[in-house]
């Protein structure tokens, strides 16, 4: 019974079914969504950790892979993220009070001089949906703010986003400042103009062209 | 000729909901729920203010050896691809166009409320609005060019192919501060974000192409799915 519910929860995340009244997707109309099923699993005695890792993360991973393969588009990912939020609303208070641990901490921001945030938000949602604590520093983030956040969360991975060729230069300077402050801090970079070659040039640790790639980098580190 | 400036209403721009679905990646298979969000948000923005555009003409000298376009003291290193597309221009219409702050604000407001899909849709509406406003401006430029016995090219912007986005700083210097409500930060990012600036080439022997996406190598461009011939500058406004 619980296994069946977990599989249903995973489907809700994969297909973006938020709650019972949510009309999307049409083929799941009037069915329980991530909101109700998460509550049923908790009421049935399942731990928040198990719900996250065996239900939510599985669904989110499927979305990430489909997005990478162009089988779904941004709207479906956003609906999945919203379903994830509905489930996490039940789990977050438990994580805050118990010793349940997330897979790690991920600090993300769009670099100084750049105000674009949709790509950054997509990565943040996907990473959170895969079981990490995400700290979103927002847009137009200076090196000092990244460093301050990294110091406050030892072991966290930093992620820098940029959409403009001009702000790639800022990304380079911020990466340099972070590495000079503490060379052990791991830095992921991404954004439309970014390439692996640029990542190698500036001494960042990981470049990924899609959110699932970031998840895979984090999973490899935390394994 | 001095600066010409225009203000548009969203309703007169013929923004096509299907084009916005297309920007999201959908063809005719856009789920009706998502199409409805597009229609609802377009309806909510029908009285949006701040959709403005303007242009001025400047004579140019073109130097093929280094793909350089000179306007007075300013050098524009537009790169090989853009240079070829602007080839034979004797002047350019330098333009700035914006979808306005209201659309960007609505997108951010929705995102902040957790209405992620709706916020994303409005963000794309901003892209489409600024392109359709540019279509109107393009038609104006074409009309003036015709009167001068000239033709026009497509429109090209810093950031396109190898034309560095930082050259927007000298492009903006031809206009008053905050022209059309658009400002430029140190990184050459325009605010409101849904804004465009660039050149339309003008000359007796320039070419307008129905489709130029094949010339660009960007792997992440929203418009790469788009079908050819989105604008006809010869249409009447």
């Amino acid at each position: 019974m619980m296994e069946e519910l977990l599989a249903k929860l995973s489907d809700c995340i994969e297909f973006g079914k938020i709650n019972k009244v949510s009309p999307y997707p049409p083929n799941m109309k009037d069915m329980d969504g991530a909101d109700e099923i998460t509550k049923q699993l908790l009421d049935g005695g399942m731990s928040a950790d198990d719900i996250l890792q065996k239900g939510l993360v599985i669904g989110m991973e499927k979305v990430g892979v489909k997005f990478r393969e162009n089988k779904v588009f941004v709207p479906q990912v956003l609906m999945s993220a919203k379903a994830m939020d509905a489930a996490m609303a039940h789990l977050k208070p438990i994580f805050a009070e118990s010793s349940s641990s997330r897979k790690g901490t991920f600090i993300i921001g769009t670099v100084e001089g750049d105000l674009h945030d949709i790509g950054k938000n997509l990565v943040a949602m996907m990473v959170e949906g895969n079981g990490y604590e995400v700290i979103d520093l927002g847009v137009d983030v200076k090196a000092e703010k990244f460093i301050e956040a990294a110091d406050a969360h030892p072991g966290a991975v930093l992620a820098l986003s940029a959409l403009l060729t001009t702000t790639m230069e800022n990304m380079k300077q911020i990466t340099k400042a972070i590495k000079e402050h503490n060379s052990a801090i791991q830095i992921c970079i991404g954004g439309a103009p970014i390439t692996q070659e640029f990542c190698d040039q500036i001494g960042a640790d990981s470049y990924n062209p899609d959110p699932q790639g970031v998840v895979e980098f984090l999973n490899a580190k935390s394994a | 000729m001095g600066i010409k400036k225009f203000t548009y209403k969203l309703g007169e721009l013929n923004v096509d909901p299907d084009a916005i679905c297309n920007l999201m990646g959908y063809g005719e298979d856009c789920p009706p729920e998502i199409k409805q969000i597009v229609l609802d948000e377009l309806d909510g923005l029908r009285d949006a203010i701040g959709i403005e555009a303007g242009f001025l003409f400047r004579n140019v000298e073109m130097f093929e050896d280094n793909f350089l376009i000179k306007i007075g003291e300013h050098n524009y290193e537009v790169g090989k691809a853009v240079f070829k597309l602007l080839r034979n221009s004797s002047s350019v219409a330098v333009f700035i166009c914006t979808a306005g702050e209201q659309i960007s604000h609505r997108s951010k407001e929705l995102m902040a409320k957790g209405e992620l899909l709706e916020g994303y849709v409005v963000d794309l509406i901003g892209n489409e609005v600024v392109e359709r406003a540019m279509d109107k401006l393009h038609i104006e430029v074409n009309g003036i060019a015709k009167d001068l016995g000239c033709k026009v090219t497509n429109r090209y912007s810093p950031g396109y192919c190898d034309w560095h986005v930082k050259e927007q700083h000298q492009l903006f210097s031809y206009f008053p501060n905050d022209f059309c409500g658009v400002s430029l930060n140190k990184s050459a990012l325009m605010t409101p974000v849904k804004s465009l600036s660039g050149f339309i080439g003008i000359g007796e022997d320039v070419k307008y192409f129905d489709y130029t996406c094949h010339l660009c190598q960007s792997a992440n461009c929203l418009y790469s799915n788009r079908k050819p011939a989105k604008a006809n500058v010869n249409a009447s406004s």
Side-chain angles (χ1 to χ4, degrees):
Chain A
M1 175 65 183
M2 296 294 261
E3 292 303 314
E4 199 179 308
L5 274 179
L6 269 179
K8 278 187 183 170
L9 180 60
S10 171
D11 285 349
C12 288
I13 301 303
E14 182 180 352
F15 299 107
K17 178 71 175 169
I18 300 161
N19 53 29
K20 190 162 188 161
V21 296
S22 163
Y24 185 87
N27 63 339
M28 294 172 85
K29 200 176 171 214
D30 298 328
M31 289 164 64
D32 283 343
D35 180 27
E36 292 85 6
I37 295 174
T38 303
K39 191 165 182 314
Q40 288 160 23
L41 284 163
L42 285 171
D43 290 346
M46 184 168 283
S47 74
D49 262 347
D50 278 351
I51 295 171
L52 178 65
Q53 301 301 340
K54 296 177 182 172
L56 303 177
V57 168
I58 306 289
M60 209 60 177
E61 197 173 354
K62 286 181 183 169
V63 180
V65 171
K66 286 199 286 188
F67 184 60
R68 167 187 281 172
E69 294 172 351
N70 290 322
K71 289 178 180 164
V72 297
F73 303 119
V74 172
Q76 284 107 316
V77 179
L78 295 174
M79 294 306 285
S80 293
K82 206 164 176 179
M84 186 81 190
D85 274 350
M88 288 302 288
H90 296 288
L91 304 188
K92 275 181 177 170
I94 300 169
F95 287 136
E97 283 178 12
S98 73
S99 60
S100 300
S101 62
R102 309 289 281 275
K103 285 155 80 176
T105 304
F106 181 75
I107 299 167
I108 189 166
T110 302
V111 298
E112 182 179 6
D114 205 326
L115 302 176
H116 293 92
D117 61 358
I118 287 183
K120 169 188 72 67
N121 292 346
L122 271 179
V123 171
M125 286 183 267
M126 198 68 84
V127 168
E128 185 172 35
N130 277 275
Y132 293 85
E133 184 186 359
V134 173
I135 296 166
D136 188 344
L137 301 178
V139 297
D140 195 18
V141 181
K142 290 182 164 55
E144 300 78 50
K145 198 168 171 189
F146 279 110
I147 290 169
E148 196 180 302
D151 285 348
H153 300 276
V157 172
L158 294 191
L160 281 53
S161 169
L163 189 77
L164 302 171
T165 46
T166 42
T167 50
M168 284 170 73
E169 180 57 30
N170 297 351
M171 182 180 266
K172 180 180 170 184
Q173 297 305 329
I174 292 170
T175 301
K176 187 167 173 256
I178 295 167
K179 288 290 185 184
E180 278 174 3
H181 174 73
N182 180 354
S183 62
I185 295 173
Q186 296 279 294
I187 303 172
C188 297
I189 60 169
I194 310 299
T195 61
Q196 183 60 53
E197 188 187 2
F198 179 71
C199 177
D200 296 339
Q201 265 174 28
I202 70 169
D205 298 288
S206 174
Y207 157 71
N208 295 284
D210 58 72
Q212 190 59 25
V214 181
V215 171
E216 287 166 6
F217 170 73
L218 295 172
N219 286 345
K221 272 186 54 60
S222 66
Chain B
M1 191 191 78
I3 296 174
K4 294 200 79 166
K5 191 177 167 199
F6 308 89
T7 300
Y8 303 112
K9 293 255 184 248
L10 194 137
E12 66 184 300
L13 295 179
N14 301 320
V15 174
D16 179 3
D18 289 334
I20 293 157
C21 295
N22 190 232
L23 289 178
M24 287 189 255
Y26 299 109
E28 288 172 1
D29 57 339
C30 184
E33 304 79 20
I34 290 172
K35 177 93 175 265
Q36 192 58 48
I37 292 172
V38 174
L39 293 169
D40 290 345
E41 289 300 333
L42 274 173
D43 189 48
L45 290 166
R46 67 185 178 281
D47 296 323
I49 54 168
I51 307 169
E52 295 184 15
F55 68 88
L56 50 78
F57 280 20
R58 283 285 184 270
N59 291 331
V60 296
E61 293 176 88
M62 302 193 70
F63 299 91
E64 182 136 23
D65 288 352
N66 43 3
F67 308 120
L68 181 81
I69 296 177
K70 255 178 111 64
I71 298 180
E73 295 297 304
H74 290 147
N75 292 337
Y76 291 88
E77 294 174 17
V78 298
K80 186 177 177 182
V82 173
F83 187 92
K84 286 188 167 177
L85 293 163
L86 288 168
R87 181 179 274 155
N88 299 326
S89 297
S90 52
S91 60
V92 292
V94 186
F95 64 81
I96 294 176
C97 179
T98 182
E101 193 56 65
Q102 194 174 335
I103 293 177
S104 296
H105 179 74
R106 170 74 179 155
S107 173
K108 296 231 171 283
E109 179 186 63
L110 287 164
M111 293 268 189
K113 281 199 305 191
E115 303 292 342
L116 307 174
L117 178 52
E118 290 79 358
Y120 173 65
V121 164
V122 174
D123 185 82
L124 294 181
I125 287 174
N127 288 15
E128 197 60 17
V129 165
V130 74
E131 288 290 349
R132 298 292 72 83
M134 272 307 304
D135 287 349
K136 292 265 187 198
L137 181 140
H138 215 141
I139 288 166
E140 293 285 344
V141 172
N142 189 45
I144 297 169
K146 261 186 175 172
D147 291 345
L148 299 169
C150 292
K151 293 185 282 188
V152 297
T153 67
N154 301 62
R155 48 190 183 251
Y156 302 105
S157 299
Y160 188 99
C161 296
D162 295 325
W163 188 3
H164 203 288
V165 74
K166 72 183 178 193
E167 292 197 342
Q168 280 184 118
H169 286 290
Q170 51 190 25
L171 186 157
F172 267 64
S173 71
Y174 309 130
F175 297 92
N177 281 343
D178 292 325
F179 179 67
C180 292
V182 183
S183 59
L184 197 63
N185 76 2
K186 204 173 139 196
S187 307
L189 174 68
M190 287 181 280
T191 304
V193 172
K194 299 302 175 186
S195 301
L196 284 172
S197 71
F199 292 167
I200 296 168
I202 298 160
E204 290 177 14
D205 195 24
V206 298
K207 283 188 179 149
Y208 182 88
F209 297 95
D210 284 338
Y211 188 65
T212 54
C213 286
H214 62 291
L215 299 169
C216 179
Q217 304 303 314
S218 173
N220 298 298
C221 177
L222 276 175
Y223 299 98
S224 56
N225 282 334
R226 174 153 278 187
K227 293 179 181 71
K230 64 177 176 174
N232 177 5
V233 298
N234 295 308
S236 66
S237 53

